[in-house]
Amino acid sequence: MPTVMEYLSAFGLAGGAGAKAIVPVLVLGLLHHTRYFELSPQFQWMASIPVLVVLAVLLLAEIWLDSHPDLGRFHDVLAYLPKFVAGCLAFAAATGTLDESLGRLAASGLLGGTTAAGVHWLGNRVRRPVRELSDGVHSGIGKAFSWGEVGLSAGVSLLAVLVPLLAVGLLLAGIGVAFTAAHWWSARRKPCVHCGQPIRPGATVCPHCRKELGESVNG
């Protein structure tokens, strides 16, 4: 039966999967090669060199997609599935319940997948206005934000293994900051005069309908 600390570790890893799906699985695989953590036998495939290389390539691909506004908007929706799966996998790896009863496996998978999907949903609320800003001001903003998500996911995942309680605290703090930022940004946006979608103040082109706004959005 998993302990409280193992569950805290599992929630931290699942939350990290919600930020970047590949990172927690990659972190677990890399940590297996250190003296601080050892994967249970049914999960040791995650630590093999070919799997680690594939995970690294997939992470770079995710960052590339996420940092391009047009592709990233599709990625926001499509990423729910891989992040749900990664959350399930990370949660099960932390609690070691893959060989338990089907009911326990389903419960741990649901907890991990739901946590990852919830973090991703909240991340989307912040990511969309960041993409609007990146699209209208500077493309480097989107890339910086995506790498910031990698750093948060890696930090939470690493702490989830080494200091689970601190990892959960960092995850909750990140969620709080993201929710506050999303609420603040939503309150500032104004509807586009052409399509009615919310856009940032001062925008000259609507990122949704691509029509020029001139001075009307500021009025």
Side-chain angles (χ1 to χ4, degrees):
M1 186 72 181
T3 65
V4 173
M5 295 305 288
E6 285 175 330
Y7 272 116
L8 289 176
S9 178
F11 276 114
L13 288 165
K20 278 288 181 283
I22 304 299
V23 171
V25 182
L26 184 60
V27 167
L28 287 175
L30 291 173
L31 284 176
H32 180 74
H33 295 282
T34 71
R35 60 186 178 88
Y36 300 105
F37 177 76
E38 184 178 358
L39 288 164
S40 54
Q42 63 266 38
F43 291 102
Q44 289 185 3
W45 58 269
M46 292 163 52
S48 68
I49 300 302
V51 169
L52 291 176
V53 172
V54 170
L55 289 174
V57 172
L58 290 175
L59 176 59
L60 293 175
E62 184 180 5
I63 294 170
W64 183 83
L65 284 171
D66 200 32
S67 60
H68 286 72
D70 292 333
L71 296 174
R73 292 184 182 97
F74 292 103
H75 177 259
D76 286 348
V77 178
L78 297 177
Y80 274 105
L81 180 58
K83 289 188 177 183
F84 186 91
V85 173
C88 293
L89 184 60
F91 199 100
T95 57
T97 55
L98 188 62
D99 57 350
E100 297 284 345
S101 68
L102 183 61
R104 289 184 179 179
L105 175 60
S108 64
L110 185 61
L111 286 171
T114 302
T115 300
V119 171
H120 178 64
W121 175 82
L122 185 57
N124 282 346
R125 294 193 62 188
V126 180
R127 197 176 295 111
R128 286 166 188 160
V130 168
R131 285 210 182 96
E132 290 180 16
L133 187 63
S134 173
D135 199 19
V137 180
H138 197 287
S139 60
I141 296 175
K143 293 178 182 178
F145 184 82
S146 187
W147 277 106
E149 285 186 320
V150 173
L152 176 63
S153 181
V156 169
S157 300
L158 188 60
L159 287 175
V161 175
L162 303 178
V163 193
L165 190 59
L166 185 57
V168 173
L170 178 60
L171 181 62
L172 291 175
I175 290 173
V177 171
F179 183 83
T180 302
H183 179 74
W184 175 81
W185 185 267
S186 296
R188 292 185 71 244
R189 293 195 291 177
K190 298 181 179 182
C192 170
V193 295
H194 300 292
C195 66
Q197 291 294 321
I199 56 177
R200 63 181 178 85
T204 57
V205 176
C206 175
H208 305 285
C209 65
R210 300 295 182 181
K211 292 183 179 179
E212 294 186 3
L213 301 169
E215 301 293 332
S216 58
V217 72
N218 298 316

